[in-house]
Amino acid sequence: MKLAVIADMHHFSRTLGDSGRAFELRSGSDQKCLAETGDIIDATFDMLGSSDVDAVLIAGDLTNDGETASHEEMVEKIALLSKSKPVYVITSTHDWCNDANPRAYRGDSIIHDVPTVDRTALYGMYKPFTGKEPLSEITTSLGFTSALYELGDGVRLLAVCDDKNGEGKAGYPPELLEWIQSCAADAKRDGERIIMMQHHLLMPGISPLINGGQCIGDREQMRDALARAGIEYIFVGHSHMQRVTNYTADDGSSITQINVGSLTGHPGAINIFTIDRYSAELEVHSVPDFTFNGKTRSALYLKEHSLALLEKVFWAGVRDKKEFFDRLSALGIRAPEQLEKAYPVIRRACSLIMTSNVGRLRFLQPFVQDKEAYAQAVYQLAGEPLFYYVGAIFLNLFDGTRTVFEPGSPPHTVVTQLAKIPGRLGVGAELAGEIEKIAEKLI
Ligand SMILES: [Fe+2]
Ligand SMILES: [Fe+2]
């Protein structure tokens, strides 16, 4: 079984507006592309349709915000792809406008009177594209449907809609967990492997500080339950961050989470997963070239879009407190109050990042642990723009750390030493430990 797994396409119908000031503000504050989604998806589906994959799996957030217009176009695109490959889809909160704030853009104005699809209609809308009936199906008391499929070659797929656990979070209400466990037990009995796909994270891939809020409720308990049930691999989306996380429970059972990055934001992730009865292998590719407004673009376009966004955030930090926090919140980062109070420091940091070379970081030497190694590393990088490294770390967040700086290299030394500063300034052992772990994962 060779599977292509993609997630978070967030398709935005251009009929909802793709120019004007209101649109520019919205698209300029999103890590993903917005007007480009249709063209990126078309090129990707074209490529997958004629590739040697056996099936395509889509892990939720198909549309920008559940707009009917976006769904109608998405259904058309998937229908076309399903002529050559079975397509297994789960939907998630962005497919039914969870925030009750659908938007269209006309000139300077945002229009909220936009038709959206009701969440109960979604399962039926996308089910026909698998080309087969599920082995089992469950609709929870909250009205969300999940299904179990025989993919072939001794592999089954649990396509789980985890939008609500009934306790205010994403996850599994009790009847859904029971159903998952019994599907896994059946697969074991029949000598088949079972993989799972859901939208929200089972485990925080990078750190609870970054991904904690993106996980399902009772995440540790659920992680153990799934590992013990015999789910070996789980595909998730939502964070827009490509990352693989392994976990082994006390009883030796283990589970691997493959967090698939967004298709329409850097790195334009396409996960190719090959699995048979005995082995499994993952390769991560980027979107193929696509044509947008008559011009051919590559995955580099998505990377540049992300970097441009980061630049805008830092320049806003230099210019204006309100704009800076507005841009952060547009990115989904809700800044705690302490951060707002620390704006003068943030402003200096933003200015430093945008206008200085690494050499300027010499002033932090008194605060680091290994002063000599730090000074030497800063000296070696003295003439290089600071933004280059900040940008590399930002991109690594989304692409699963494609740019690796070897331990002992000057950038690695500088970043890991800087990450120790909060701990040395006494922010608390747990927080300091997490900051160091994040730095290790992103450099
Ligand atoms: Fe998403
Ligand atoms: Fe999501």
Side-chain angles (χ1 to χ4, degrees), residues 20-310:
R21 198 181 127 72
F23 176 81
E24 297 301 334
L25 267 177
R26 166 72 182 86
S27 71
S29 63
D30 197 324
Q31 183 261 337
K32 300 169 277 88
C33 294
L34 199 58
E36 297 86 343
T37 54
D39 296 324
I40 296 173
I41 295 163
D42 286 346
T44 303
F45 283 8
D46 234 29
M47 184 269 287
L48 291 177
S50 57
S51 73
D52 63 350
V53 301
D54 296 300
V56 178
L57 276 55
I58 301 178
D61 281 358
L62 278 70
T63 61
N64 177 55
D65 230 349
E67 310 90 352
T68 305
S70 304
H71 271 299
E72 282 170 356
E73 292 175 8
M74 180 54 80
V75 163
E76 226 172 90
K77 293 177 196 304
I78 296 181
L80 192 65
L81 173 61
S82 73
K83 285 185 180 161
S84 28
K85 309 285 174 191
V87 185
Y88 299 88
V89 174
I90 53 165
T91 58
S92 193
T93 52
H94 274 277
D95 296 315
W96 48 276
C97 199
N98 190 31
D99 63 357
N101 183 24
R103 282 157 288 180
Y105 305 91
R106 302 276 180 263
D108 284 350
S109 359
I110 298 175
I111 297 150
H112 296 277
D113 184 18
V114 176
T116 57
V117 172
D118 187 80
R119 66 184 175 86
T120 53
L122 290 169
Y123 180 75
M125 259 171 93
Y126 290 99
K127 182 183 167 182
F129 305 122
T130 59
K132 61 173 78 149
E133 277 305 308
L135 296 175
S136 174
E137 224 173 41
I138 182 176
T139 300
T140 64
S141 53
L142 302 160
F144 295 94
T145 305
S146 301
L148 171 73
Y149 287 99
E150 182 75 59
L151 286 177
D153 287 355
V155 183
R156 291 180 190 177
L157 169 71
L158 272 167
V160 170
C161 181
D162 67 351
D163 287 353
K164 280 190 188 294
N165 71 351
E167 290 176 4
K169 287 199 161 181
Y172 327 127
E175 69 270 27
L176 180 57
L177 179 62
E178 262 171 49
W179 176 80
I180 292 170
Q181 285 166 324
S182 88
C183 290
D186 290 350
K188 206 182 271 179
R189 182 199 61 210
D190 299 341
E192 300 219 334
R193 291 181 94 169
I194 187 159
I195 62 171
M196 190 162 149
M197 167 168 73
Q198 69 183 30
H199 183 67
H200 298 89
L201 279 62
L202 179 67
M203 304 182 255
I206 297 168
S207 157
L209 281 185
I210 293 177
N211 311 114
Q214 299 165 340
C215 292
I216 59 169
D218 303 318
R219 63 174 190 250
E220 289 179 0
Q221 208 182 320
M222 296 305 152
R223 171 198 67 191
D224 281 72
L226 294 196
R228 292 206 170 99
I231 312 284
E232 294 174 87
Y233 296 93
I234 181 168
F235 288 93
V236 301
H238 192 56
S239 71
H240 300 190
M241 297 172 193
Q242 179 72 41
R243 186 122 338 222
V244 175
T245 308
N246 297 302
Y247 170 74
T248 303
D250 292 345
D251 67 347
S253 57
S254 63
I255 185 163
T256 298
Q257 170 178 281
I258 300 160
N259 194 168
V260 177
S262 167
L263 185 80
T264 53
H266 175 74
I270 299 172
N271 284 231
I272 303 292
F273 185 68
T274 312
I275 181 167
D276 61 24
R277 278 176 200 276
Y278 312 103
S279 64
E281 199 186 296
L282 178 75
E283 277 172 44
V284 184
H285 300 267
S286 283
V287 289
D289 289 358
F290 58 97
T291 307
F292 176 64
N293 284 350
K295 284 196 185 121
T296 304
R297 305 291 194 181
S298 70
L300 191 64
Y301 180 87
L302 275 58
K303 189 173 179 170
E304 282 165 357
H305 177 84
S306 284
L307 282 177
L309 167 79
L310 187 66

Side-chain angles (χ1 to χ4, degrees), residues 250-400:
D250 292 345
D251 67 347
S253 57
S254 63
I255 185 163
T256 298
Q257 170 178 281
I258 300 160
N259 194 168
V260 177
S262 167
L263 185 80
T264 53
H266 175 74
I270 299 172
N271 284 231
I272 303 292
F273 185 68
T274 312
I275 181 167
D276 61 24
R277 278 176 200 276
Y278 312 103
S279 64
E281 199 186 296
L282 178 75
E283 277 172 44
V284 184
H285 300 267
S286 283
V287 289
D289 289 358
F290 58 97
T291 307
F292 176 64
N293 284 350
K295 284 196 185 121
T296 304
R297 305 291 194 181
S298 70
L300 191 64
Y301 180 87
L302 275 58
K303 189 173 179 170
E304 282 165 357
H305 177 84
S306 284
L307 282 177
L309 167 79
L310 187 66
E311 271 185 63
K312 275 183 208 154
V313 171
F314 286 133
W315 280 126
V318 175
R319 266 195 318 263
D320 180 61
K321 181 175 173 179
K322 186 177 175 321
E323 192 195 342
F324 176 72
F325 286 106
D326 280 354
R327 284 202 178 272
L328 279 194
S329 81
L331 273 173
I333 302 169
R334 232 172 300 135
E337 217 173 291
Q338 299 100 298
L339 209 60
E340 295 214 16
K341 284 189 191 137
Y343 177 66
V345 180
I346 292 170
R347 181 162 187 262
R348 278 193 60 192
C350 290
S351 158
L352 188 77
I353 290 166
M354 293 316 293
T355 59
S356 309
N357 290 337
V358 180
R360 278 285 301 280
L361 294 181
R362 242 171 258 141
F363 79 98
L364 290 169
Q365 194 192 347
F367 306 101
V368 303
Q369 194 176 51
D370 190 341
K371 296 181 174 51
E372 202 176 312
Y374 178 80
Q376 215 168 53
V378 169
Y379 177 75
Q380 277 174 282
L381 301 174
E384 297 193 43
L386 200 48
F387 183 76
Y388 169 76
Y389 292 100
V390 175
I393 290 171
F394 181 69
L395 295 174
N396 278 348
L397 185 67
F398 295 99
D399 64 25

Side-chain angles (χ1 to χ4, degrees), residues 2-13:
K2 192 170 183 179
L3 308 171
V5 194
I6 55 177
D8 294 271
M9 293 185 281
H10 287 278
H11 176 53
F12 177 75
S13 169

